[in-house]
Amino acid sequence: MATQQDLSVFVRHGEGGVAGMELAVEGIRCAGCMHAIENGLGKDAAILKARVNLALKRVTVEWTEGTLRPEAVIERLGALGFKAYPFLPSAERDSVTLEERRLLRYLAVAGFAAMNIMLLSVSVWSGANGDISPVTRDFFHWLSALIALPTAAYAGRPFFESALRALRAGAVNMDVPITLGIVLALGMSVVETANHSDHAYFDGAVMLIFFLLIGRYLDQMMRRRTRDLAGNLAALKAETATRLMADGTTVTLPIAAIVPGDLVLVQPGERVCVDGIVETGHSEIDRSLVTGETDPAPIQAGAQVHAGTMNLTGALGVRVVAAGAGTLLDEIERLMSQAVESRSRYVRLSDRAARLYAPLVHATALATLVGWIAFGLAWQEALIIAITVLIITCPCALGLAIPAVQVVTASALFRRQVMLKEGDALERLAEADLVVFDKTGTLTLPEPDLLNADEIAADSLAAAAALAAASRHPLAQAISRAAGSRAPLAETQEHRGLGLSALVDGVEMRLGSPAFCGAEALAERVAADLPTASLIAWRHGDREAVFAVGQKLRPEARACVESLRRLGLEPIILSGDRESAVAAVARDLGISQWQSGLRPDEKLHVLDDLAKTGRKVLMVGDGLNDAPALAKAHVSMSPISATHLAQAAADIVFLGDSLAPVAATIAIARKARTLMMENLWFAVLYNAIAVPVAIAGFATPLVAAAAMSGSSLVVTLNALRAARQPAAPITKAAS
């Protein structure tokens, strides 16, 4: 009885009744494979989207809930000639390791056989002037065949198996012409040996396999390195979690079995496996994934934690809010996958060109064979030239030219706390020549902060924070945050529109407007120093304080503006806030162009006017009123703290409080665009030179194999340069 697979645990359930699954797929080699998979799956009416990532060898499939079994997707891929299984980081690492070992075994066998056959061939060549008898020559040829045929059957399996799967599915991939070339060379050699001819090509056929395997092995290593660069997110995802049971016992379960409301245990040294609220314990957390801040943050009961952050010192009991799908880490990974899978302009260009290769390659090889025979060349030599054409015109370099750069760049941006949402966002960002900032929540932190904390006595701040903890007012919450978590004072009374009061040691304590607290004189002095701040006063007996609450600039905001200018982009501010507040921020940042009091439609009119003058605008904003402008701009960025609508409208999302990723992302995008163009031009020039050389008969199958493998390695190695630091360094300065 056949074992039934249940893959429902690997299915992601999204909004609007859309289900999806990410699959690792074996045998994806070129753009032809991508086309075969996407077209093959696209014929199923239930499948909404199928996207292949050539560099990572993964397929993301989406369908309408209830219309398709996830097992059917794998069955469909099998019918297309591709073996697939649900993507798991650990399983992929094991699969990649096994594939490298397998290729290394094939390579060793092919190399050993090639050396022995070459010794026999040298003997035949050295005796070609008459020193060797026909019987001895035939014996050496048959001995070469005895070595070459089983060697080819074993060491050529990576090419033969892939070609057979493609042909059974009615498709043609890059391994079909390779297989055809090897089989033709071996078949011709057997025929020539049986006819007692002077020449056989067993040495060339086995050397061809040897060179192809070298290229395939190096290509596998380079792709593994590319996947490793992009796999840092997957490494942060836990596959199991320890659930705390009601009786105090623990049980280890797959992360898919953890549901909201469960209580999980996170030991010191473990990564937090869920999004949740700390219920028991205290520790320090490395939150660099979320905030970009590398210093450990103290954590205790009531604090929020996210999947992927590292628990450093103490055991924590965390009440689950989201596990697996729905966590911040899952959302970040979804954004990265969406960007890498989506088709940019350059990817669409290379895809269209690569899809034409299968018919063109075979037609060109056949025309070369017929043409050389028509010109009087022996059919054996014409066939060797045709085999060379089949091999040298592999579209690997063209298919990898853009996806490899996208994957490595997405990883480099992730290390900068940046997530791409659209595949062509990099290209559009590289074209930007003007940056438009919103103010509130973008240039400044989203939550108001205490601006004059250094001027307030610690005991006064603590007392005011205890009173403020009883209020939901933003200004009161800012004071409470500035002093740390405080228990609210008992029997606090709220005076609507005025403030709060409570009896402390028999004396009334007040927190509210300066008039309510009798602190108008002190408030005037504070307002003179901080004219744009909102003021809240505190009085307890004869002690008084005035707290200036306002929005602080984001860390490295000044450094970001300086870096943007060095990159040739002039920043401007378009804000809906009042004139005095916008003017103060513009003055602090040295930005001369700004507008205040703008409604969302007025921001759109400004962007339209800029676009009409030919400007390519990068819009950076975070609020609900910024969403139309983010969608309208040439390219847009939004902080992770932004409203959901703003994030949905933005092309790029960055984590943490710092603005440094804005300038860094532009520098990286420009470098990525340069690398993409270099790869495309290399792939085009390679074929423009290699194909005529092969047709003219100036290359051998061995040279073709080396050239074909080398071309894909060159574009992959060039793509890996995207992982280096951007050419324009990002200045860090105190903000």
Side-chain angles (χ1 to χ4, degrees), residues 58-77:
R58 295 181 203 162
V59 177
T60 300
V61 184
E62 291 183 357
W63 63 90
T64 304
E65 290 272 16
T67 62
L68 190 69
R69 295 181 304 111
E71 297 81 10
V73 179
I74 290 182
E75 293 167 5
R76 179 64 176 158
L77 283 167

Side-chain angles (χ1 to χ4, degrees), residues 11-243:
V11 176
R12 298 193 311 266
H13 302 280
E15 299 176 357
V18 175
M21 183 167 56
E22 187 174 19
L23 300 170
V25 182
E26 297 179 3
I28 299 179
R29 301 291 180 192
C30 63
C33 302
M34 295 167 59
H35 182 61
I37 290 174
E38 292 179 356
N39 271 16
L41 293 178
K43 292 177 181 177
D44 192 323
I47 294 178
L48 302 175
K49 184 185 81 169
R51 286 289 181 267
V52 177
N53 187 311
L54 178 63
L56 300 182
K57 296 187 179 180
R58 295 181 203 162
V59 177
T60 300
V61 184
E62 291 183 357
W63 63 90
T64 304
E65 290 272 16
T67 62
L68 190 69
R69 295 181 304 111
E71 297 81 10
V73 179
I74 290 182
E75 293 167 5
R76 179 64 176 158
L77 283 167
L80 293 173
F82 298 92
K83 182 179 178 181
Y85 46 86
F87 168 70
L88 289 172
S90 56
E92 187 190 38
R93 285 192 295 271
D94 293 342
S95 174
V96 169
T97 301
L98 288 173
E99 177 68 9
E100 285 192 9
R101 289 176 180 172
R102 188 170 76 112
L103 288 173
L104 195 57
R105 286 198 304 271
Y106 294 151
L107 183 60
V109 169
F112 181 76
M115 287 188 294
N116 284 279
I117 295 174
M118 192 59 67
L119 289 174
L120 295 170
S121 298
V122 168
S123 299
V124 173
W125 298 337
S126 61
N129 58 1
D131 295 338
I132 188 172
S133 68
V135 174
T136 304
R137 183 189 62 231
D138 288 350
F139 173 72
F140 279 5
H141 281 168
W142 284 118
L143 193 58
S144 296
L146 188 63
I147 300 172
L149 294 176
T151 297
Y154 175 74
R157 286 177 61 187
F159 315 107
F160 303 156
E161 291 172 354
S162 173
L164 283 174
R165 283 196 302 267
L167 292 174
R168 284 172 184 165
V172 178
N173 64 9
M174 62 166 279
D175 288 325
V176 172
I178 287 174
T179 298
L180 185 59
I182 293 171
V183 170
L184 285 175
L186 290 172
M188 183 177 66
S189 298
V190 171
V191 171
E192 292 291 277
T193 301
N195 292 331
H196 311 290
S197 298
D198 293 342
H199 302 290
Y201 305 95
F202 295 112
D203 52 347
V206 176
M207 286 293 289
L208 174 60
I209 294 173
F210 179 62
F211 274 101
L212 289 170
L213 284 170
I214 290 175
R216 184 66 55 89
Y217 180 72
L218 293 175
D219 181 56
Q220 179 76 7
M221 289 178 63
M222 290 299 102
R223 291 189 192 224
R224 172 171 57 80
R225 185 174 174 189
T226 303
R227 283 194 295 271
D228 288 345
L229 285 171
N232 38 20
L233 262 184
L236 298 176
K237 297 182 76 172
E239 297 181 11
T240 61
T242 302
R243 181 195 285 168

